[in-house]
Amino acid sequence: MKANELLLWLSARREGSWQQFRAAVEKLHSADNDSDANEITTADEEELPLHQRLRLNLECLAHVEFFAGGCREGWRVAPPMLAVHPVPTGFRAVLCGARSPALRDRVLRVGEKLGCEILDLDGVPEVIRFVADNISALSEAAKQAGIHFQSDAPLAILFHSPPCDQPSRSQKPSEFPVGSDWSIHKFDTTSLTWQKVERPEAEALRFGVLRFHIYFQQRRYFLCWKGMTFEMPRALAIYVLLHRRRHHVLRYNHEAASLSLPAICRPPRLIERSLVLCSGFPPVYNVGTARLTYTDVPLDIARFATQLLRQRLI
């Protein structure tokens, strides 16, 4: 499984540049052209080539951090950890972070007395989960394995996630990229699509989200707010605009305990991680509805995430 090999390689290197990550992905998948990446293509599929799909899966499962503090231009592997969350049958733990064959064997050995699942999913390293009647058994397993332990991991992440609020008065505006070669698109909150615009229209936009792209560089996103522009992460800008337009896109299925949203409105990194660690599985993409579904999400976690996104559950 290529995602397993990729995580082992990243864990051995510990950190690196974005170019090194892309090269590793291409090398692992070039021999047989076997793309096992999870099919989470969106309405704007061009934004999710193979290396981006793998990056999102590694990030939301808390294996690797990308473009975060200390690795602004690349990535670093997170420390190995059991991320624990209460479930109806007791407590479930998901193995996150760096991985090696020796660490994997050690974790499985100390967890023999616990309920254990090893699941192979497309596009992600094997998912290793443990279930116990009480949290102390999982804490002791982490201690014996010599890895970190985090109780109520999804909730703890949400407590440290900033809300999707409009720019503060102290935030400095940004300048658009200079040059005529940039391709510019505006996010339409009605159709939930990106629509191409010319620079004069972009410069005149009072409220909106713009995407700038040129050749092989990373896309840049700008929130236009009261005639000023602020460069910020795509997800944050989109949810700020959705809140202003009172467009609510989240749906919760009480029977299935699942939360869904349009794939083009993927949530900010930390919020998505909290949703994913409820189950240990990446979101499932529905081709027919173009929506992502996060499974095993308790109602209290769904409500907390919805509040941070400044949305309302439908």
Side-chain angles (χ1 to χ4, degrees):
M1 183 180 181
K2 296 295 170 39
N4 276 333
E5 297 175 36
L6 180 61
L7 180 56
L8 291 174
W9 184 87
L10 295 171
S11 300
R13 291 191 62 95
R14 297 187 179 180
E15 63 180 30
S17 68
W18 176 245
Q19 290 74 20
Q20 289 172 328
F21 175 78
R22 290 191 60 170
V25 171
E26 292 170 2
K27 182 177 180 180
L28 284 172
H29 289 79
S30 61
D32 54 5
N33 197 30
D34 175 22
S35 172
D36 67 351
N38 189 26
E39 292 301 326
I40 52 171
T41 50
T42 70
D44 52 344
E45 182 178 1
E46 73 277 7
E47 292 201 41
L48 289 177
L50 174 60
H51 63 275
Q52 287 286 13
R53 295 199 294 270
L54 286 169
R55 169 217 161 177
L56 289 172
N57 285 340
L58 289 168
E59 195 168 42
C60 71
L61 284 163
H63 291 307
V64 185
E65 302 285 357
F66 290 87
F67 311 116
C71 57
R72 293 294 182 186
E73 300 301 322
W75 56 270
R76 68 180 177 198
V77 177
M81 177 185 69
L82 285 185
V84 181
H85 182 65
V87 294
T89 55
F91 295 87
R92 177 193 291 144
V94 179
L95 180 61
C96 307
R99 194 174 294 182
S100 68
L103 182 144
R104 177 186 182 277
D105 292 343
R106 189 167 69 249
V107 170
L108 293 179
R109 186 168 58 252
V110 300
E112 285 178 349
K113 296 181 181 179
L114 307 172
C116 177
E117 290 182 300
I118 303 176
L119 303 162
D120 288 327
L121 303 177
D122 288 342
V124 298
E126 61 181 5
V127 177
I128 301 177
R129 309 195 305 181
F130 300 96
V131 177
D133 295 333
N134 58 77
I135 196 170
S136 60
L138 294 169
S139 176
E140 181 62 23
K143 182 178 179 181
Q144 292 181 19
I147 62 177
H148 295 273
F149 176 86
Q150 176 62 61
S151 61
D152 291 318
L155 189 61
I157 293 171
L158 290 179
F159 273 122
H160 289 85
S161 302
C164 296
D165 287 335
Q166 65 189 59
S168 65
R169 293 183 178 180
S170 61
Q171 189 169 345
K172 293 184 179 180
S174 310
E175 297 288 339
F176 288 149
V178 178
S180 59
D181 291 336
W182 288 90
S183 175
I184 309 174
H185 290 77
K186 179 179 68 174
F187 185 72
D188 182 78
T189 55
T190 302
S191 62
L192 298 180
T193 59
W194 292 99
Q195 300 178 355
K196 186 173 178 59
V197 296
E198 300 300 324
R199 184 173 285 267
E201 181 180 348
E203 292 175 343
L205 192 62
R206 184 166 174 77
F207 290 97
V209 175
L210 295 170
R211 181 182 72 191
F212 282 71
H213 181 239
I214 184 171
Y215 305 122
F216 300 105
Q217 295 185 27
Q218 289 220 12
R219 290 169 171 81
R220 299 173 63 181
Y221 296 90
F222 294 83
L223 174 69
C224 299
W225 196 261
K226 297 181 180 179
M228 295 184 288
T229 59
F230 302 88
E231 187 168 9
M232 60 179 60
R234 161 190 162 134
L236 174 58
I238 285 177
Y239 276 97
V240 170
L241 185 62
L242 289 173
H243 176 62
R244 173 177 170 76
R245 301 282 167 80
R246 294 182 174 85
H247 191 162
H248 304 291
V249 297
L250 275 63
R251 299 175 185 168
Y252 188 76
N253 185 319
H254 290 264
E255 183 177 351
S258 64
L259 180 71
S260 72
L261 48 82
I264 202 170
C265 299
R266 197 164 189 148
R269 175 176 56 90
L270 287 180
I271 295 177
E272 178 168 56
R273 180 174 295 173
S274 73
L275 299 175
V276 168
L277 289 183
C278 290
S279 65
F281 302 150
V284 177
Y285 179 69
N286 184 304
V287 178
T289 63
R291 295 181 70 87
L292 293 174
T293 298
Y294 301 83
T295 57
D296 284 351
V297 180
L299 183 57
D300 62 330
I301 297 296
R303 284 174 171 166
F304 197 168
T306 301
Q307 180 182 5
L308 292 172
L309 293 171
R310 299 307 190 228
Q311 285 278 297
R312 187 177 66 216
L313 283 179
I314 301 175

